[in-house]
Amino acid sequence: MSLVQNLIKRQKENGGFLSAEVLQEISERTATPLYRLQELISFYNSFRLTPPPKVEVQVCRDFTCHMHKSQELIQDLKNEFAEEIEQGQVSISGKSCMGYCDGPVAVSLNHHITPDSNLSHCVTSIRSILKSGTTHGKPVDQEIPDDWDIDCYQKQTKYELLKQFLKATDRIAFGESVLKSLEDSSLVGKGGPGARTAKKWRTVKKYAEQENRAVRYVVCNADESEPGTFKDRELLLRSPHLVLEGMITAALIIGAERAYIYIRHEYESQIEAFQKCIDDAKAQGLCGRNLLKTGLNCEVEVFVSPGNYICGEQTAMIEAMEDKRAQPRQRPPDLEIQGYRNFPTLVNNVETFAWVPAIFNNGPEWYQKLGVNDCQGKRFVSLSGDINRPGVYEVPLGSTVGDLLEIVGGMRNKQQLQAFGVSGPSGGFLPRKFSRDQLPENFVKENIPEGENEFDLLNLPLDNNFFRFQLRGRFNLGAAHLFIGEQTDLVSLVKSCTEFYRNESCGKCVPCRLGSEKLVQIASRPLNEGKLQIPDYFQDLIELMQESSICGLGQVAFNPLLSLKEFFPETWEVAKSR
Ligand code: SF4
């Protein structure tokens, strides 16, 4: 067991903290100096060295929860439990996004997410824990329709692709047919920059074979932590077998005998569901050693994340798995060449693996035809904000913002749509109407008829075709979409986004470490007649962060502020500040 997993396990067994005795015991048992343990404990936010209070309350302060007034909830709870806080029985603090953005404010009580998080429910639950001393971990079960196209087995665990693979007389040819199918479908990664899936698998296979590297790994990144993102949570809970089948298929194709799934620790039910899925597959001879008596092996292991947003960055995730601080690596070399423990490693996201069985079983043309507006395929999106039915939806690629708004039953309380979050905070915010001069010339030419001066956001298809037009700044298309109503204070929301990045910067590179704090200072300036004062060095700061930050966090942390500057001129003015 890795050191990080050891610390998580022992902390749990020791009543929620790592005492000096426990650390000494781990140090001796694993022959690890204490300073190495301290290096990890001081970095990851789920470890603590002192006994926790009777009730530890953590309230999400980001994005959708910020819109739902989480700061007020924190303050109200602090007022309500002032005496208990003073006595050390209760602690109440803010926390980064926990992946439950489709409910009311996400609140964790003694590390269990509670579904009833309004003030009176929280007060009742906290008082009950204080009295009884026990926390009932009640899983949040959102009402989410799951008659998904991705589920080619209609909720059964058939593993047909895997069985065919293992029974094939020529497995190399069979693996090639799977790769061809993925290639023809144009499946791209569903967790980040959208790399072509088949190409990535081929790169690992080719490099490992060329260089004669016998050890290879598959890692599934299930650490979705971008505020507003919670789609993998539902896939892991409802269809873990699809993810597992995709992972084992990938392992067999690239020649890996071991695969890991790295899951954020807040996803308790998902960790349990996936472990059960592994156990069931093992019982069927489809996971572990000597798969269906073929002599082939594929052990699959769950790695529980010790916390921190940056672990979702794939190189940082690998560092965490290697018992180091999760600080992103400089690239090249890429993980396909030098990944986990320096061996060739294939990393894909939960949804990417989950599409593999359906695409192979139904054919690549089937997948391609699922798209609309000249786009191919489907994807899962997390929809939240001021809407009637927030949740996880499987939607055709190329759907417009208007299509999504229809799916979720429109805006809540008949509000008008003020702005749209394209991809968590990292995507910045788009306005309801674009004027011609806010859009790139080539986009205007193709999309705004002569004589018209505006483009309606609702007509915007969510596919990379729009984003190829390179809006000023780097606005990426992701799967976390936020609908912001007219009653939301956009400037305050942007401030909370910059705070999120400042809080989650791993500190490895100076432009991000200091730049993210500078962004918070800008977003926190006192308003001048209701307007934010953006200093004239803002553009220089952006360029510095963009050009010299090691990973995506530092390269996008300014996007929320930049989008205000680009698309909401009524919210800011330039302040001379040199
Ligand atoms: S950009 Fe920020 S988060 Fe990324 S490595 Fe640098 S300091 Fe860490």
Side-chain angles (χ1 to χ4, degrees), residues 11-41:
Q11 174 163 289
K12 215 171 182 179
E13 291 166 354
N14 192 52
F17 78 110
L18 293 160
S19 62
E21 296 74 37
V22 168
L23 290 175
Q24 191 64 42
E25 174 259 308
I26 296 175
S27 167
E28 283 166 17
R29 184 162 44 81
T30 60
T32 309
L34 281 168
Y35 73 83
R36 274 278 293 124
L37 299 184
Q38 181 59 28
E39 182 191 0
L40 299 174
I41 294 162

Side-chain angles (χ1 to χ4, degrees), residues 58-87:
Q58 293 175 308
V59 181
C60 173
R61 59 190 162 210
D62 295 320
F63 220 47
T64 324
C65 290
H66 176 87
M67 283 173 66
H68 294 159
K69 308 210 179 314
S70 57
Q71 289 301 335
E72 284 178 21
L73 180 61
I74 292 174
Q75 199 46 56
D76 290 346
L77 287 171
K78 281 185 176 172
N79 294 342
E80 181 74 28
F81 291 98
E83 207 175 301
E84 289 83 353
I85 292 171
E86 182 72 27
Q87 293 162 354

